[in-house]
Amino acid sequence: MNKSAVVIPYSPRPVQAQIHPQLESHRFCVLVTHRQLGKTVCAVNHLLKKALQNPLPHARYFYIAPFLKQAKMIAWDYVKRYTAPLPDVTVNESELAVCLPNGARIWVCGADNPDALRGTYADGVVLDEYAQIKPDVFTEIIRPMLLSREGWAVFMGTPKGQNAFFELFNRAQKSALAEPAVWWTGVFRADESGVISPAELARLKDETPDTIFRQEYLCDFTASAENVLIPIDSVLSACSRSYSPAEVRFAPKIMGIDPARFGDDRSVIFCRQGLQAFAPLVFRRLDNMTLADRAARQINIFRPDGVFVDAGCGGGVIDRLRQLGFCVTEVPFGGASLYPEQYANKRAEMWGEMRDWLKAGGALPPLPELKADLCQVCYDYDAAGRMRLEPKEKLKERCGQSPDLADALALTFAAPVRPRNSGTKEFAGCEYDVI
């Protein structure tokens, strides 16, 4: 077959064009999308392209939805539409299968009869609306199908609470850190994808119950949870606000530094002046001496009235900054709160003050990583009725990484600060940088 003569009649949307390279370059992908993004069209065309390019004999690919009727309604028409212009394609309506000119086959199936897939192999599998598919369908049936050909899998869907899809997404985030060439996770919210116009999205928000809107269009796994400290709509509102330098001129300038040193966590420098938070500096695998030098340079630029550093991993940063002549305050996250009757420890206090700051009109840089960090922390109350946060170790185990950006911002609420440099040069903000 002359591969150059085969052209799939598909023009991806800009957001789909962002997704395809990730599906091409990773064996296991977890794709979380809002409604009407076009994930099924994206997945069907990914299946089709991989099937046409496969040089192995008798290649087999599967699109699987929770129910066969649903799979036929969602994907079968797309499979036929995009294969119709191709030469020598055979369509089997009874089996919901197509045979391509190179002999590869694509089946459209339902997970409601998974035993029908036992005993075969697969070069690639798409599992759509994974939140509605029983987890053992993949572990007991689909995963063994991928062994002989070292096949790939795409898990995709829209959140439906903290269920098996949520757990898979969290595990995939950790796997992506351990094996970045093998695993990939992507989250595409309606307010970021560009698929739904802002005016239409605003109408949807007005017409749709809050929990459903956050879940279906903002990809919020915690929408139905009652113990999330900072809901995503509060974060999105903050991301839509900004203040001019004149509006925050007389507010104190505060810097939070959350060192991570080596490992998977991120070292973060966050600057805030009053209600305006600026884009942070983010570093990976940076030793404390180098981070201290970066922080010193940023202190000279920002000229903060207060600098707070996490004492957990930041001892070297604190000592070095003091050696350089800077006044910094070390903050033990597990230390006592300034308001011991309200918060169980310093960490809960800082996050609680940050939550109140958002409600009062705080403005955030619109960074996906920051949004995710802020919205994943849960809370409860101890025996004395004081608020406490989910332990950081448990949070990292659940979500795959520590909320480092949010912790750095929370550090700017470690203690009250008075402005000293109201007459200094206006700060334009950091350039967002990941190293």
Side-chain angles (χ1 to χ4, degrees):
M1 181 185 68
N2 181 5
K3 292 182 180 179
S4 63
V6 178
V7 178
I8 303 172
Y10 165 61
S11 297
R13 292 171 172 171
V15 68
Q16 292 168 327
Q18 296 177 39
I19 295 170
H20 280 295
Q22 304 297 338
L23 303 186
E24 294 277 348
S25 57
H26 295 85
R27 186 181 178 193
F28 298 108
C29 298
V30 178
L31 182 60
V32 183
T33 73
H34 66 83
R35 293 296 177 199
Q36 299 301 310
L37 177 132
K39 61 179 171 57
T40 302
V41 171
C42 184
V44 165
N45 279 281
H46 179 63
L47 278 170
L48 182 54
K49 181 180 179 180
K50 298 298 285 186
L52 287 168
Q53 291 180 334
N54 195 334
L56 297 175
H58 311 297
R60 295 186 172 194
Y61 294 86
F62 297 85
Y63 168 92
I64 302 173
F67 305 98
L68 179 60
K69 184 177 181 180
Q70 181 184 15
K72 184 177 181 179
M73 181 183 301
I74 294 174
W76 181 233
D77 283 344
Y78 288 137
V79 172
K80 292 188 291 183
R81 178 192 305 179
Y82 291 108
T83 57
L86 306 184
D88 304 320
V89 172
T90 303
V91 177
N92 189 322
E93 288 283 355
S94 62
E95 293 187 5
L96 300 186
V98 295
C99 182
L100 302 177
N102 64 341
R105 292 177 180 267
I106 300 175
W107 279 268
V108 172
C109 309
D112 48 342
N113 185 24
D115 290 335
L117 298 171
R118 290 185 185 272
T120 188
Y121 62 87
D123 294 85
V125 176
V126 169
L127 295 108
D128 199 356
E129 300 298 350
Y130 190 75
Q132 302 175 52
I133 296 177
K134 293 180 180 179
D136 56 6
V137 172
F138 178 75
T139 55
E140 296 181 12
I141 298 174
I142 305 300
R143 187 63 181 93
M145 291 168 58
L146 303 175
L147 292 175
S148 61
R149 300 279 193 127
E150 295 189 1
W152 52 264
V154 175
F155 309 83
M156 59 186 194
T158 301
K160 285 190 176 297
Q162 297 183 18
N163 55 13
F165 188 34
F166 176 65
E167 294 175 2
L168 170 67
F169 176 71
N170 290 333
R171 291 197 304 271
Q173 285 186 307
K174 288 185 277 188
S175 297
L177 291 172
E179 298 182 283
V182 178
W183 282 86
W184 172 76
T185 62
V187 179
F188 294 86
R189 300 180 175 91
D191 61 314
E192 299 171 343
S193 70
V195 174
I196 302 175
S197 70
E200 183 66 12
L201 195 61
R203 281 190 287 271
L204 281 169
K205 182 175 176 59
D206 290 339
E207 298 166 0
T208 309
D210 179 66
T211 299
I212 301 300
F213 180 81
R214 287 165 51 196
Q215 180 173 274
E216 301 281 307
Y217 296 99
L218 302 182
C219 299
D220 184 4
F221 282 105
T222 65
S224 58
E226 297 180 354
N227 63 334
V228 174
L229 182 66
I230 301 176
I232 193 170
D233 51 348
S234 178
V235 174
L236 294 178
S237 295
C239 288
S240 68
R241 292 190 289 261
S242 65
Y243 298 94
S244 67
E247 291 177 293
V248 296
R249 179 180 178 183
F250 298 105
K253 294 181 176 181
I254 310 171
M255 180 182 292
I257 304 174
D258 186 27
R261 207 160 184 267
F262 301 111
D264 295 330
D265 293 347
R266 300 154 291 180
S267 295
V268 184
I269 301 172
F270 224 125
C271 296
R272 178 176 66 85
Q273 184 172 17
L275 289 173
Q276 182 65 60
F278 303 98
L281 296 174
V282 184
F283 311 94
R284 289 190 184 275
R285 297 177 177 85
L286 201 65
D287 65 84
N288 277 349
M289 292 301 98
T290 305
L291 177 62
D293 290 341
R294 299 292 182 94
R297 183 167 58 186
Q298 196 60 27
I299 291 171
N300 285 327
I301 295 171
F302 185 50
R303 300 183 64 80
D305 302 301
V307 179
F308 299 100
V309 186
D310 176 18
C313 292
V317 176
I318 294 165
D319 292 343
R320 175 59 176 163
L321 288 174
R322 287 174 176 169
Q323 184 183 53
L324 292 172
F326 296 106
C327 180
V328 299
T329 302
E330 55 185 288
V331 180
F333 274 41
S337 168
L338 293 174
Y339 313 102
E341 71 288 344
Q342 186 175 357
Y343 300 106
N345 56 27
K346 193 67 177 178
R347 176 170 172 251
E349 175 200 323
M350 292 188 298
W351 274 77
E353 295 295 300
M354 179 168 61
R355 174 197 57 188
D356 294 343
W357 172 81
L358 289 169
K359 291 180 180 179
L364 294 171
L367 305 174
E369 298 92 337
L370 177 60
K371 294 177 187 178
D373 279 3
L374 287 167
C375 298
Q376 65 187 16
V377 174
C378 298
Y379 74 99
D380 62 5
Y381 294 95
D382 64 12
R386 300 176 302 177
M387 189 184 84
R388 62 185 179 187
L389 301 185
E390 177 182 14
K392 208 168 183 178
E393 297 75 18
K394 182 179 178 182
L395 178 65
K396 188 173 181 180
E397 180 182 352
R398 175 169 61 83
C399 299
Q401 64 180 13
S402 175
D404 304 309
L405 275 71
D407 277 339
L409 178 59
L411 279 163
T412 68
F413 298 92
V417 176
R418 290 184 178 180
R420 295 192 307 267
N421 302 313
S422 58
T424 58
K425 184 178 178 182
E426 294 172 347
F427 183 61
C430 310
E431 179 181 350
Y432 185 58
D433 185 19
V434 179
I435 298 179

